[in-house]
PDB file of all heavy atoms in Angstrom:
ATOM      1  N   HIS B  64      -4.493   1.665  12.669  1.00 90.00           N
ATOM      2  CA  HIS B  64      -5.903   1.282  12.596  1.00 90.00           C
ATOM      3  C   HIS B  64      -6.764   2.389  11.989  1.00 90.00           C
ATOM      4  O   HIS B  64      -6.658   3.545  12.365  1.00 90.00           O
ATOM      5  CB  HIS B  64      -6.411   0.937  13.991  1.00 90.00           C
ATOM      6  CG  HIS B  64      -7.822   0.441  14.004  1.00 90.00           C
ATOM      7  ND1 HIS B  64      -8.213  -0.696  13.339  1.00 90.00           N
ATOM      8  CD2 HIS B  64      -8.940   0.959  14.557  1.00 90.00           C
ATOM      9  CE1 HIS B  64      -9.516  -0.870  13.515  1.00 90.00           C
ATOM     10  NE2 HIS B  64      -9.976   0.114  14.251  1.00 90.00           N
ATOM     11  N   SER B  65      -7.590   1.980  11.001  1.00 84.00           N
ATOM     12  CA  SER B  65      -8.545   2.879  10.350  1.00 84.00           C
ATOM     13  C   SER B  65      -7.891   3.931   9.462  1.00 84.00           C
ATOM     14  O   SER B  65      -8.542   4.904   9.082  1.00 84.00           O
ATOM     15  CB  SER B  65      -9.442   3.584  11.376  1.00 84.00           C
ATOM     16  OG  SER B  65     -10.197   2.657  12.089  1.00 84.00           O
ATOM     17  N   GLN B  66      -6.608   3.754   9.143  1.00 94.00           N
ATOM     18  CA  GLN B  66      -5.942   4.661   8.219  1.00 94.00           C
ATOM     19  C   GLN B  66      -5.381   3.879   7.032  1.00 94.00           C
ATOM     20  O   GLN B  66      -5.328   2.651   7.049  1.00 94.00           O
ATOM     21  CB  GLN B  66      -4.811   5.406   8.918  1.00 94.00           C
ATOM     22  CG  GLN B  66      -5.272   6.315  10.049  1.00 94.00           C
ATOM     23  CD  GLN B  66      -4.116   7.075  10.685  1.00 94.00           C
ATOM     24  OE1 GLN B  66      -3.036   7.198  10.103  1.00 94.00           O
ATOM     25  NE2 GLN B  66      -4.337   7.598  11.879  1.00 94.00           N
ATOM     26  N   GLY B  67      -4.965   4.602   6.001  1.00 96.00           N
ATOM     27  CA  GLY B  67      -4.313   3.961   4.873  1.00 96.00           C
ATOM     28  C   GLY B  67      -2.858   3.646   5.192  1.00 96.00           C
ATOM     29  O   GLY B  67      -2.287   4.202   6.130  1.00 96.00           O
ATOM     30  N   PRO B  68      -2.242   2.742   4.439  1.00 97.00           N
ATOM     31  CA  PRO B  68      -0.822   2.440   4.656  1.00 97.00           C
ATOM     32  C   PRO B  68       0.038   3.695   4.496  1.00 97.00           C
ATOM     33  O   PRO B  68      -0.217   4.528   3.625  1.00 97.00           O
ATOM     34  CB  PRO B  68      -0.503   1.415   3.564  1.00 97.00           C
ATOM     35  CG  PRO B  68      -1.816   0.779   3.250  1.00 97.00           C
ATOM     36  CD  PRO B  68      -2.814   1.884   3.393  1.00 97.00           C
ATOM     37  N   GLN B  69       1.067   3.765   5.337  1.00 97.00           N
ATOM     38  CA  GLN B  69       1.982   4.899   5.310  1.00 97.00           C
ATOM     39  C   GLN B  69       3.357   4.416   4.898  1.00 97.00           C
ATOM     40  O   GLN B  69       3.897   3.474   5.499  1.00 97.00           O
ATOM     41  CB  GLN B  69       2.045   5.551   6.704  1.00 97.00           C
ATOM     42  CG  GLN B  69       3.019   6.710   6.807  1.00 97.00           C
ATOM     43  CD  GLN B  69       3.194   7.185   8.239  1.00 97.00           C
ATOM     44  OE1 GLN B  69       2.955   6.467   9.199  1.00 97.00           O
ATOM     45  NE2 GLN B  69       3.619   8.436   8.391  1.00 97.00           N
ATOM     46  N   TYR B  70       3.941   5.028   3.896  1.00 95.00           N
ATOM     47  CA  TYR B  70       5.287   4.674   3.460  1.00 95.00           C
ATOM     48  C   TYR B  70       6.290   5.016   4.560  1.00 95.00           C
ATOM     49  O   TYR B  70       6.214   6.088   5.186  1.00 95.00           O
ATOM     50  CB  TYR B  70       5.640   5.433   2.185  1.00 95.00           C
ATOM     51  CG  TYR B  70       7.106   5.414   1.839  1.00 95.00           C
ATOM     52  CD1 TYR B  70       7.703   4.276   1.307  1.00 95.00           C
ATOM     53  CD2 TYR B  70       7.907   6.535   2.064  1.00 95.00           C
ATOM     54  CE1 TYR B  70       9.062   4.260   1.006  1.00 95.00           C
ATOM     55  CE2 TYR B  70       9.256   6.525   1.757  1.00 95.00           C
ATOM     56  CZ  TYR B  70       9.826   5.377   1.233  1.00 95.00           C
ATOM     57  OH  TYR B  70      11.167   5.364   0.938  1.00 95.00           O
ATOM     58  N   ILE B  71       7.226   4.081   4.814  1.00 97.00           N
ATOM     59  CA  ILE B  71       8.254   4.339   5.825  1.00 97.00           C
ATOM     60  C   ILE B  71       9.611   4.518   5.168  1.00 97.00           C
ATOM     61  O   ILE B  71      10.266   5.557   5.314  1.00 97.00           O
ATOM     62  CB  ILE B  71       8.336   3.176   6.841  1.00 97.00           C
ATOM     63  CG1 ILE B  71       6.996   2.975   7.545  1.00 97.00           C
ATOM     64  CG2 ILE B  71       9.435   3.470   7.874  1.00 97.00           C
ATOM     65  CD1 ILE B  71       6.966   1.744   8.449  1.00 97.00           C
ATOM     66  N   ILE B  72      10.069   3.515   4.430  1.00 96.00           N
ATOM     67  CA  ILE B  72      11.433   3.532   3.915  1.00 96.00           C
ATOM     68  C   ILE B  72      11.581   2.433   2.878  1.00 96.00           C
ATOM     69  O   ILE B  72      10.772   1.497   2.840  1.00 96.00           O
ATOM     70  CB  ILE B  72      12.424   3.337   5.084  1.00 96.00           C
ATOM     71  CG1 ILE B  72      13.850   3.778   4.730  1.00 96.00           C
ATOM     72  CG2 ILE B  72      12.408   1.897   5.586  1.00 96.00           C
ATOM     73  CD1 ILE B  72      14.762   3.893   5.950  1.00 96.00           C
ATOM     74  N   HIS B  73      12.585   2.527   2.012  1.00 94.00           N
ATOM     75  CA  HIS B  73      12.895   1.440   1.102  1.00 94.00           C
ATOM     76  C   HIS B  73      14.386   1.438   0.808  1.00 94.00           C
ATOM     77  O   HIS B  73      15.074   2.447   0.996  1.00 94.00           O
ATOM     78  CB  HIS B  73      12.074   1.509  -0.186  1.00 94.00           C
ATOM     79  CG  HIS B  73      12.470   2.591  -1.138  1.00 94.00           C
ATOM     80  ND1 HIS B  73      12.109   3.915  -0.950  1.00 94.00           N
ATOM     81  CD2 HIS B  73      13.181   2.554  -2.282  1.00 94.00           C
ATOM     82  CE1 HIS B  73      12.574   4.634  -1.955  1.00 94.00           C
ATOM     83  NE2 HIS B  73      13.236   3.848  -2.773  1.00 94.00           N
ATOM     84  N   GLY B  74      14.873   0.268   0.343  1.00 93.00           N
ATOM     85  CA  GLY B  74      16.289   0.145   0.021  1.00 93.00           C
ATOM     86  C   GLY B  74      16.528  -1.002  -0.937  1.00 93.00           C
ATOM     87  O   GLY B  74      15.676  -1.868  -1.126  1.00 93.00           O
ATOM     88  N   LEU B  75      17.712  -1.000  -1.530  1.00 91.00           N
ATOM     89  CA  LEU B  75      18.089  -2.045  -2.479  1.00 91.00           C
ATOM     90  C   LEU B  75      19.190  -2.933  -1.898  1.00 91.00           C
ATOM     91  O   LEU B  75      19.023  -4.134  -1.765  1.00 91.00           O
ATOM     92  CB  LEU B  75      18.557  -1.413  -3.785  1.00 91.00           C
ATOM     93  CG  LEU B  75      18.921  -2.377  -4.914  1.00 91.00           C
ATOM     94  CD1 LEU B  75      17.730  -3.231  -5.301  1.00 91.00           C
ATOM     95  CD2 LEU B  75      19.471  -1.613  -6.115  1.00 91.00           C
ATOM     96  N   LYS B  76      20.311  -2.343  -1.575  1.00 90.00           N
ATOM     97  CA  LYS B  76      21.428  -3.120  -1.040  1.00 90.00           C
ATOM     98  C   LYS B  76      21.955  -2.515   0.251  1.00 90.00           C
ATOM     99  O   LYS B  76      22.236  -3.214   1.217  1.00 90.00           O
ATOM    100  CB  LYS B  76      22.576  -3.161  -2.054  1.00 90.00           C
ATOM    101  CG  LYS B  76      22.256  -3.855  -3.344  1.00 90.00           C
ATOM    102  CD  LYS B  76      23.457  -3.824  -4.266  1.00 90.00           C
ATOM    103  CE  LYS B  76      23.150  -4.473  -5.609  1.00 90.00           C
ATOM    104  NZ  LYS B  76      24.314  -4.409  -6.528  1.00 90.00           N
ATOM    105  N   ASN B  77      22.090  -1.197   0.240  1.00 87.00           N
ATOM    106  CA  ASN B  77      22.707  -0.518   1.373  1.00 87.00           C
ATOM    107  C   ASN B  77      21.686  -0.234   2.465  1.00 87.00           C
ATOM    108  O   ASN B  77      20.489  -0.209   2.234  1.00 87.00           O
ATOM    109  CB  ASN B  77      23.323   0.800   0.911  1.00 87.00           C
ATOM    110  CG  ASN B  77      24.369   0.589  -0.168  1.00 87.00           C
ATOM    111  OD1 ASN B  77      25.166  -0.342  -0.087  1.00 87.00           O
ATOM    112  ND2 ASN B  77      24.356   1.447  -1.163  1.00 87.00           N
ATOM    113  N   ASN B  78      22.198  -0.042   3.665  1.00 94.00           N
ATOM    114  CA  ASN B  78      21.330   0.373   4.762  1.00 94.00           C
ATOM    115  C   ASN B  78      20.841   1.790   4.499  1.00 94.00           C
ATOM    116  O   ASN B  78      21.546   2.609   3.912  1.00 94.00           O
ATOM    117  CB  ASN B  78      22.092   0.298   6.084  1.00 94.00           C
ATOM    118  CG  ASN B  78      22.550  -1.112   6.401  1.00 94.00           C
ATOM    119  OD1 ASN B  78      21.974  -2.083   5.920  1.00 94.00           O
ATOM    120  ND2 ASN B  78      23.601  -1.223   7.196  1.00 94.00           N
ATOM    121  N   GLU B  79      19.626   2.056   4.928  1.00 96.00           N
ATOM    122  CA  GLU B  79      19.021   3.353   4.707  1.00 96.00           C
ATOM    123  C   GLU B  79      18.474   3.898   6.013  1.00 96.00           C
ATOM    124  O   GLU B  79      18.061   3.124   6.892  1.00 96.00           O
ATOM    125  CB  GLU B  79      17.881   3.260   3.683  1.00 96.00           C
ATOM    126  CG  GLU B  79      18.250   2.712   2.321  1.00 96.00           C
ATOM    127  CD  GLU B  79      19.064   3.684   1.493  1.00 96.00           C
ATOM    128  OE1 GLU B  79      19.089   4.885   1.828  1.00 96.00           O
ATOM    129  OE2 GLU B  79      19.675   3.240   0.486  1.00 96.00           O
ATOM    130  N   THR B  80      18.482   5.214   6.137  1.00 97.00           N
ATOM    131  CA  THR B  80      17.925   5.876   7.320  1.00 97.00           C
ATOM    132  C   THR B  80      17.187   7.132   6.887  1.00 97.00           C
ATOM    133  O   THR B  80      17.652   7.848   6.005  1.00 97.00           O
ATOM    134  CB  THR B  80      19.048   6.255   8.317  1.00 97.00           C
ATOM    135  OG1 THR B  80      19.669   5.067   8.808  1.00 97.00           O
ATOM    136  CG2 THR B  80      18.474   7.019   9.512  1.00 97.00           C
ATOM    137  N   ASN B  81      16.036   7.352   7.495  1.00 96.00           N
ATOM    138  CA  ASN B  81      15.337   8.625   7.313  1.00 96.00           C
ATOM    139  C   ASN B  81      14.791   9.078   8.660  1.00 96.00           C
ATOM    140  O   ASN B  81      15.136   8.500   9.703  1.00 96.00           O
ATOM    141  CB  ASN B  81      14.253   8.528   6.235  1.00 96.00           C
ATOM    142  CG  ASN B  81      13.157   7.536   6.581  1.00 96.00           C
ATOM    143  OD1 ASN B  81      12.951   7.180   7.743  1.00 96.00           O
ATOM    144  ND2 ASN B  81      12.447   7.091   5.555  1.00 96.00           N
ATOM    145  N   GLU B  82      13.936  10.069   8.651  1.00 95.00           N
ATOM    146  CA  GLU B  82      13.453  10.633   9.904  1.00 95.00           C
ATOM    147  C   GLU B  82      12.548   9.683  10.673  1.00 95.00           C
ATOM    148  O   GLU B  82      12.307   9.874  11.859  1.00 95.00           O
ATOM    149  CB  GLU B  82      12.723  11.953   9.638  1.00 95.00           C
ATOM    150  CG  GLU B  82      11.446  11.812   8.824  1.00 95.00           C
ATOM    151  CD  GLU B  82      11.684  11.715   7.331  1.00 95.00           C
ATOM    152  OE1 GLU B  82      12.872  11.690   6.913  1.00 95.00           O
ATOM    153  OE2 GLU B  82      10.692  11.667   6.589  1.00 95.00           O
ATOM    154  N   MET B  83      12.049   8.671  10.003  1.00 95.00           N
ATOM    155  CA  MET B  83      11.136   7.751  10.674  1.00 95.00           C
ATOM    156  C   MET B  83      11.832   6.502  11.199  1.00 95.00           C
ATOM    157  O   MET B  83      11.490   5.995  12.274  1.00 95.00           O
ATOM    158  CB  MET B  83      10.030   7.310   9.705  1.00 95.00           C
ATOM    159  CG  MET B  83       9.008   8.357   9.368  1.00 95.00           C
ATOM    160  SD  MET B  83       7.710   7.700   8.311  1.00 95.00           S
ATOM    161  CE  MET B  83       6.923   6.540   9.424  1.00 95.00           C
ATOM    162  N   ALA B  84      12.767   5.953  10.401  1.00 97.00           N
ATOM    163  CA  ALA B  84      13.295   4.640  10.734  1.00 97.00           C
ATOM    164  C   ALA B  84      14.619   4.381  10.025  1.00 97.00           C
ATOM    165  O   ALA B  84      15.055   5.178   9.198  1.00 97.00           O
ATOM    166  CB  ALA B  84      12.280   3.570  10.323  1.00 97.00           C
ATOM    167  N   SER B  85      15.207   3.236  10.386  1.00 98.00           N
ATOM    168  CA  SER B  85      16.393   2.736   9.683  1.00 98.00           C
ATOM    169  C   SER B  85      16.064   1.363   9.105  1.00 98.00           C
ATOM    170  O   SER B  85      15.296   0.598   9.699  1.00 98.00           O
ATOM    171  CB  SER B  85      17.585   2.615  10.625  1.00 98.00           C
ATOM    172  OG  SER B  85      17.992   3.886  11.081  1.00 98.00           O
TER     173      SER B  85
END
Side-chain angles (χ1 to χ4, degrees):
Chain B
H64 184 61
S65 298
Q66 297 182 18
Q69 177 188 23
Y70 165 75
I71 301 174
I72 198 167
H73 73 282
L75 183 60
K76 296 180 182 178
N77 301 319
N78 298 336
E79 302 287 344
T80 296
N81 62 21
E82 65 279 4
M83 288 184 67
S85 294

